[in-house]
Amino acid sequence: MRALLVTSVGVTCAAALTLPLAAPALSAPVRPPSQAAESPGSGPPSVRAAELPVAASRAATEAAGSTQSLPLEPLAAPSDRSMGAGAAAGQGLERRTARPFSLVGVVWDDADAELHGTVQVRTRAARSADWSGWQDVETHNAEHTADLGSDERSSGSVRGATAPLWVGDSDGVEVRVLPEAADPQNRSAAVPLPEGLRLELVDPGPDPAPEPAAETAPEPARAAPVGRTATTAAFALNPAPPTTTPVVVPEVLTAESEAASAVNAELAPLGASVIPALTKAETEEAANVAAGAKPYIGPRPGIVTRKGWGADEKLRERQFAYTKTVKAAFVHHSATGNNYTCKQAPSVLRSIYRYHVKSSGWRDFGYNFAVDKCGNIYEGRAGGVTKAVLGAHTLGFNTNTMGIAVLGSYSSTNPPAAAVTAVSKLTAWKLGLFGANPKGKVTLTSGGSNKYKAGAKVKMNVISGHRDGFATECPGARLYKKLGKARTSSAKLQGR
C-alpha cells in the first residue's frame, strides 16, 4: 500500500474543499437486498455450514468474499490440561476443514448479552498441515458499536460479538469458548454463556484489480471518452512530455460504488482509489479560509478510498448517516492481531467490514478511518471523508466524534511510529476542518455506556482513547501512552 500512496501524487487535485455548513438529516437505516442470507438457513445473514468439509462454493460469491457461520457445540471438558482440572465445560468446535478464510470471530444472538469468559482459536494454514497454537480472541463486550437508541442499534439485526482476529489464509479451524467461574472457589460453577454462539469465518475475497496503466498517444490526441484519467507512478513522478497526452480510461461503477465515491467528488475524481495529499498551503486554499483568518488546519494526508481497499458497497446500507459536527477523535486498536503485512491491510479491512456488517449486523464498517502499521490512512465508514459521518466505534460517544482504528493489537506491543504519525496527520486535518484544537478539551454528552450514564456531561481530550469513554482495554496500553505525542504533533501540524 505504500506504493499506492506514492502513485496518488498524479491524481487530479480537488478544485475546492468546502467546509460542512449544515449536516444532512440523520438517515434511517435501509437494508439493501444483500442483507438477505447468503445461503438458505435461519439466523444471521451469513453462509450456513451444517457439515464440513464444504463443497466448492459459487465462484461469484467467492469473488466478493464470503462468511461461513458455524453453530458452536457443547464441549464435554476443556480440550487440554492448560485450562486446569475442574474447569466448567464450554462450547466450541473440534478441528475441522472449512472453505478458505482469513479472519475469525464469535457472535451471539443478543447484542445486550455479555460474554464472560475466554475465546480461543487455532487455525490451519491453507494448503498445508500446519496448525497454529491457541490464539486469544478479545471478547470485546459491546464497547465498539452503535449508540443505544440509535437507528442502527435498534434495527433488530445487531448481535453480540467478539473482536475479529486476523489469522491469514487458512482452511482449518478449532475453537473453544470457556465461561468465567461464577465463584473463584468453585470453578465448576460458571457464568452462563450467551445463547446462539456461532463461529464466523470470513474470506475477504481478492484485492481490487490495479488501475490500468495510462497509455500515451502522439499529438494530435484523439478525443477522450467520458470517464476518469488513469493515474500511475509514471505520470506521478515523470510527467509526460508536452507531445503526449494520457488516454482517459472509462470505468463502470455500480450505483452503490458511485454514491460512495461521489461524496468525495471535490477531493478526487469519481472512482478514484486514492485521495491525494495536499501541502498545508494547498489545504488552506482548498478550505476557503477567510482573508486574515488564522487557518488552524493541517495538510491533508493521502487517503486510500473505499474503492482503493476494495469495499463491496452492496454490503452496507444505501443511505449515509451524519451528525452535526466533529468535536473529538477517539483512537482505537482493531484488536485483530499484528500478524499482517501492509500489503495485506486492504484484505484485513475487507474482512473487518464484512464481519461488522454480515456477522455483527451493523450498517457499515464501524470506524470512520483506519491506519495500518506502515502509516497508510484509509477511508472507513462511507459518507465522505470531510463530513461528520456517524460511526459505530465508541458506545455512548459516537455523536459528533470520529473513530480511528489502528490495525493491530497494542496492549503489549508498541505501535509503529509511522502509525502514530498517521494519526497525528489525520487528526490535524480532519479536526481542523471543524475548528477543533488537538491539544484542547471538549465536553461531550454520553449516550450511555458502562462508564458514563446517558445524559452525563463529560470533559475529555479532543484526541481521546476509547477507554476514556468506556471501561475497556482499547486502544491498548502501549498505543494509549502515545496519544500525548499525537496531540502535540497534530496541533503543531495545524500551526498552533
Side-chain angles (χ1 to χ4, degrees):
M1 297 308 302
R2 185 179 297 278
L4 181 60
L5 293 181
V6 171
T7 63
S8 69
V9 179
V11 179
T12 303
C13 294
L17 172 61
T18 57
L19 292 175
L21 300 178
L26 221 62
S27 54
V30 177
R31 295 288 174 192
S34 62
Q35 290 296 82
E38 295 176 339
S39 66
S42 61
S46 50
V47 175
R48 313 287 168 246
E51 297 181 1
L52 293 173
V54 183
S57 60
R58 296 166 295 178
T61 300
E62 290 301 316
S66 65
T67 303
Q68 302 167 69
S69 186
L70 313 179
L72 300 192
E73 304 165 353
L75 294 176
S79 56
D80 65 29
R81 295 179 181 178
S82 67
M83 305 312 297
Q91 297 183 36
L93 294 172
E94 299 298 333
R95 287 189 180 188
R96 59 191 61 204
T97 297
R99 292 199 309 272
F101 62 93
S102 296
L103 179 139
V104 303
V106 171
V107 302
W108 53 93
D109 296 339
D110 186 356
D112 295 324
E114 294 189 350
L115 195 163
H116 294 281
T118 59
V119 178
Q120 294 181 314
V121 299
R122 53 185 172 190
T123 56
R124 183 182 64 204
R127 300 171 297 279
S128 80
D130 298 331
W131 284 82
S132 71
W134 286 106
Q135 300 183 74
D136 292 321
V137 179
E138 187 174 308
T139 53
H140 184 104
N141 289 326
E143 60 261 38
H144 301 78
T145 190
D147 287 341
L148 301 174
S150 65
D151 290 337
E152 184 170 1
R153 183 60 179 257
S154 305
S155 66
S157 66
V158 178
R159 289 171 287 279
T162 67
L165 179 68
W166 175 261
V167 294
D169 194 11
S170 306
D171 61 11
V173 68
E174 182 177 8
V175 61
R176 61 189 183 193
V177 180
L178 301 175
E180 183 179 289
D183 180 357
Q185 303 303 318
N186 180 11
R187 297 192 64 202
S188 62
V191 176
L193 292 172
E195 294 183 359
L197 289 171
R198 296 177 295 281
L199 175 67
E200 304 286 289
L201 305 177
V202 181
D203 170 24
D207 285 328
E211 294 194 11
E215 301 174 2
T216 58
E219 292 289 358
R222 59 182 181 273
V226 177
R228 62 180 176 79
T229 303
T231 58
T232 64
F235 281 108
L237 303 179
N238 299 293
T243 57
T244 64
T245 185
V247 172
V248 178
V249 180
E251 181 174 353
V252 178
L253 297 175
T254 64
E256 295 86 357
S257 297
E258 185 171 350
S261 183
V263 286
N264 294 317
E266 292 181 343
L267 314 181
L270 192 66
S273 295
V274 175
I275 294 170
L278 298 179
T279 65
K280 192 173 191 308
E282 290 170 335
T283 302
E284 293 169 4
E285 181 180 0
N288 295 322
V289 177
K294 183 65 175 179
Y296 290 124
I297 183 171
R300 187 178 79 199
I303 301 172
V304 180
T305 65
R306 288 171 62 92
K307 181 182 182 297
W309 56 263
D312 180 355
E313 300 297 352
K314 292 183 179 180
L315 290 182
R316 63 171 175 81
E317 290 179 1
R318 291 190 183 95
Q319 298 182 23
F320 308 128
Y322 300 93
T323 58
K324 293 181 179 180
T325 187
V326 178
K327 296 180 177 180
F330 282 98
V331 178
H332 306 253
H333 65 173
S334 64
T336 46
N338 302 316
N339 296 323
Y340 74 94
T341 65
C342 293
K343 184 178 180 180
Q344 292 174 317
S347 293
V348 176
L349 289 171
R350 292 196 304 279
S351 297
I352 296 174
Y353 173 41
R354 177 169 278 272
Y355 185 74
H356 282 177
V357 177
K358 304 298 283 186
S359 300
S360 303
W362 300 358
R363 66 181 298 149
D364 192 355
F365 188 82
Y367 309 102
N368 299 103
F369 296 93
V371 171
D372 69 23
K373 63 175 68 175
C374 290
N376 298 314
I377 299 170
Y378 303 85
E379 178 185 15
R381 179 162 289 207
V385 296
T386 64
K387 297 177 174 60
V389 177
L390 176 65
H393 48 85
T394 306
L395 180 65
F397 295 97
N398 290 307
T399 299
N400 297 332
T401 69
M402 69 174 184
I404 304 168
V406 180
L407 299 182
S409 300
Y410 299 105
S411 294
S412 57
T413 301
N414 287 324
V420 178
T421 297
V423 170
S424 300
K425 291 179 177 179
L426 175 58
T427 52
W429 170 69
K430 183 63 182 279
L431 292 174
L433 292 177
F434 293 87
N437 181 354
K439 289 198 300 185
K441 301 280 187 179
V442 64
T443 299
L444 302 175
T445 302
S446 173
S449 72
N450 68 354
K451 192 168 183 177
Y452 299 105
K453 65 181 182 179
K457 303 292 185 181
V458 186
K459 191 173 185 179
M460 294 187 184
N461 289 308
V462 168
I463 297 180
S464 287
H466 186 184
R467 63 176 61 184
D468 294 321
F470 195 100
T472 175
E473 289 295 315
C474 186
R478 299 293 184 89
L479 178 54
Y480 189 74
K481 288 181 180 179
K482 298 293 184 179
L483 295 188
K485 180 178 181 181
R487 294 181 193 108
T488 301
S489 299
S490 182
K492 186 175 181 180
L493 286 168
Q494 283 191 348
R496 296 183 185 270

